[in-house]
Amino acid sequence: MASKQMVHMNQGQGETSYARNSGIQNALQNRLKPLIEAATVELCSSTNTSFPEKMLIADLGCSSGPNALALVSIAVEAIHSHCLQLQQPPPEVCVLLNDLPDNDFNTVVKSLVMLHQSNKPAVVTVGITPGSFYERLFTSGSMHLFCLSNSLNWLSKVPEDLTRNRIPAYDVDEHARSERLPMVFEAYAQQFRKYFTLFLELRAKELVPRGWMVVSLTGRRSDDCASKFSHVWEIFAQILSVMASESRSRAMIDRA
């Protein structure tokens, strides 16, 4: 799909880069720490299966910057702590980082040295797996733990009902937007249900028996399209729509 080749966070380490503007995402990742620790303890526990000699862990939608290693670092540290407590030799750990091909993997690779330096007691290898997590990424029955933080809200394409009828996800005209809002919400809800089901089916094939997946994504409790939560994003959408319109206008002037 074309979206795989062009959708990515701002690259590099500059002022407007994702690496320097992802504090909110980092805070959400930190909330997953106790869940990831519990999952890794369960995976390492002798009451679950025989103590594993090797473990494969993946962050799906890792992006770039310091957040790219946050979730897998929690898992690796939890494995080491549990093995130390049980006086067991730690397993060999393979960490796999996934995102779309145009993700800033160059920056990610440069930060991998920190992961190796902070986990000397065990063998930790790291791999990059570019691609959409709405497709198969790993071999069957190979993965022990998947981690995802606020990446499943990204769909691979606009719902076909909207593109077929040429309905934008956000219309600057307030009257048109109000009329179309329920239709847009339902179209994206159906698209999410379809892709989330596909995602679960794919990961189920890739997980080892009794493997784990720790997932977080932002949602809202209210079914009201005009909830306060939606209103906040409506302001952002209006700003982005105007910026996109101005960009198209400049492009037309340049071509002229």
Side-chain angles (χ1 to χ4, degrees):
M1 292 176 208
S3 59
K4 293 182 190 177
Q5 304 302 323
M6 63 182 182
V7 177
H8 57 79
M9 300 301 184
N10 280 355
Q11 301 181 352
Q13 299 285 340
E15 185 178 350
T16 61
S17 67
Y18 175 82
R20 295 181 59 180
N21 295 275
S22 52
I24 295 177
Q25 293 89 333
N26 180 256
L28 294 172
Q29 285 181 323
N30 291 335
R31 296 178 65 178
L32 292 182
K33 184 176 181 179
L35 298 177
I36 294 175
E37 290 174 340
T40 53
V41 168
E42 181 67 19
L43 285 166
C44 292
S45 175
S46 58
T47 60
N48 181 18
T49 57
S50 59
F51 199 86
E53 296 181 357
K54 300 178 182 179
M55 291 185 64
L56 275 71
I57 302 167
D59 183 344
L60 305 182
C62 67
S63 195
S64 60
N67 290 349
L69 299 178
L71 298 182
V72 293
S73 296
I74 292 171
V76 171
E77 182 60 34
I79 292 170
H80 291 164
S81 297
H82 185 69
C83 291
L84 184 63
Q85 182 179 359
L86 297 179
Q87 296 184 334
Q88 288 269 13
E92 295 182 4
V93 180
C94 179
V95 170
L96 298 170
L97 302 173
N98 158 260
D99 213 304
L100 294 175
D102 279 357
N103 182 54
D104 187 8
F105 285 116
N106 287 332
T107 300
V108 174
V109 170
K110 291 176 182 178
S111 63
L112 293 180
V113 64
M114 294 185 297
L115 187 64
H116 289 289
Q117 290 176 344
S118 61
N119 297 291
K120 293 180 180 179
V123 176
V124 180
T125 60
V126 184
I128 303 294
T129 308
S132 170
F133 49 55
Y134 294 120
E135 298 175 355
R136 280 294 298 270
L137 294 169
F138 310 102
T139 56
S140 299
S142 61
M143 302 302 302
H144 292 80
L145 173 64
F146 286 119
C147 300
L148 301 92
S149 178
N150 291 285
S151 52
L152 273 173
N153 52 297
W154 294 97
L155 303 179
S156 64
K157 63 179 182 179
V158 176
E160 293 180 0
D161 288 348
L162 301 185
T163 56
R164 183 172 54 251
N165 296 306
R166 298 184 178 181
I167 298 175
Y170 183 87
D171 200 311
V172 177
D173 182 88
E174 185 175 354
H175 178 71
R177 183 171 70 249
S178 298
E179 285 189 343
R180 293 171 175 171
L181 194 57
M183 182 189 305
V184 172
F185 269 57
E186 180 58 28
Y188 273 96
Q190 289 182 6
Q191 186 86 342
F192 176 79
R193 284 191 289 267
K194 174 183 175 181
Y195 274 73
F196 188 53
T197 300
L198 175 62
F199 173 85
L200 293 176
E201 290 174 350
L202 296 172
R203 302 294 82 78
K205 294 177 181 178
E206 297 166 348
L207 280 169
V208 300
R210 304 182 75 171
W212 279 73
M213 185 161 60
V214 179
V215 180
S216 76
L217 61 157
T218 303
R220 59 187 178 88
R221 296 181 179 180
S222 174
D223 292 329
D224 181 10
C225 293
S227 66
K228 293 182 179 179
F229 182 84
S230 299
H231 180 67
V232 172
W233 290 112
E234 192 171 309
I235 296 173
F236 284 117
Q238 186 171 1
I239 294 171
L240 293 173
S241 180
V242 171
M243 290 172 63
S245 177
E246 291 179 352
S247 177
R248 286 194 296 269
S249 298
R250 285 196 297 269
M252 291 177 65
I253 293 172
D254 291 340
R255 285 197 297 271

